[in-house]
Amino acid sequence: MNFTKIIINVFIIAFMFIWILPTIGLLVTSFRPASEVSSTGWWTVLNSPLKFTQFTIENYQQVLNQGGMAYAFRNSFIIAIFGTALPVLVAAFAAFGLAKLQFRGRAVVYTIIVGLLVVPLQLTFIPVLKIYNALNLSGTFVGVWLAHTGYGLPFAVFMLHNFFSSLPDDLFEAAYIDGASIWTSFYKLALPLSVPAIASLVIFQFLWVWNDLLVALIYLGGFQEVAPLTVKLSSLVGSYGQNWHLLTSAAFISMVVPLIIFFALQRYFVRGILAGSVKG
């Protein structure tokens, strides 16, 4: 049995190394001068890993100062924060109502919302863009916030509904008997108990919004003043096609925030994913 565990652990470690190896190579390349990048592979630094003269931060300085990545970084922050907070907030209200409030047509409403999960985003681009053009929302932060809210709501409601449904009804009935209102039961009982599920949803939604390119291209267009990191990176591919060492630096700039968010909420992640999978 111990031998089997050893074999399994070896395979897991090997696959983890294979998975992370390209990322390590990308990171090392982002700190290497252009002359060395074009002449030798990143693994050559392993010959003398403590020779710090073979590394430079000039790539990051050039991308941030000349490539406009710092401004795009700010735009991604603005888009991701509200593009995450709005759907999570709306979904929390909707999921709680669909799970714990009794009203006619509740099952039909929930079925329609969950059914929207299978609707391809591409089908909505033209009609929504026509509405945005009529309301002057194209190329604005508000427009892309609303788009991410609409696209993220079906999954968010589905995930939180499963968790709220798993909470015991007796808990809320006792609160109502003690004079608590629906609002009090929501923010004093449901929300504190649903922190793992909400944290997991925040991770999913934030990563999706932060890494999104298609929705940003459609609804923000070519407006550079509101362009996020993903749009800026796509333009760098054309601008710096020959200087791809700059793209590695730009890629790691875009990876910093998602990594921070994930590791900050990591302890809630597994609990949130499993939330609602078992009733009671």
Side-chain angles (χ1 to χ4, degrees), residues 193-209:
L193 292 173
S194 62
V195 169
I198 292 177
S200 297
L201 179 59
V202 166
I203 292 175
F204 281 121
Q205 183 67 15
F206 187 91
L207 293 182
W208 186 76
V209 175

Side-chain angles (χ1 to χ4, degrees), residues 228-246:
L229 278 171
T230 50
V231 174
K232 196 64 181 177
L233 279 173
S234 65
S235 66
L236 287 179
V237 172
S239 302
Y240 298 143
Q242 301 300 321
N243 301 325
W244 61 274
H245 60 286
L246 297 180

Side-chain angles (χ1 to χ4, degrees), residues 208-229:
W208 186 76
V209 175
W210 184 272
N211 295 320
D212 168 71
L213 174 62
L214 183 59
V215 173
L217 280 176
I218 296 297
Y219 297 123
L220 295 179
F223 297 93
Q224 292 299 316
E225 61 272 13
V226 292
L229 278 171

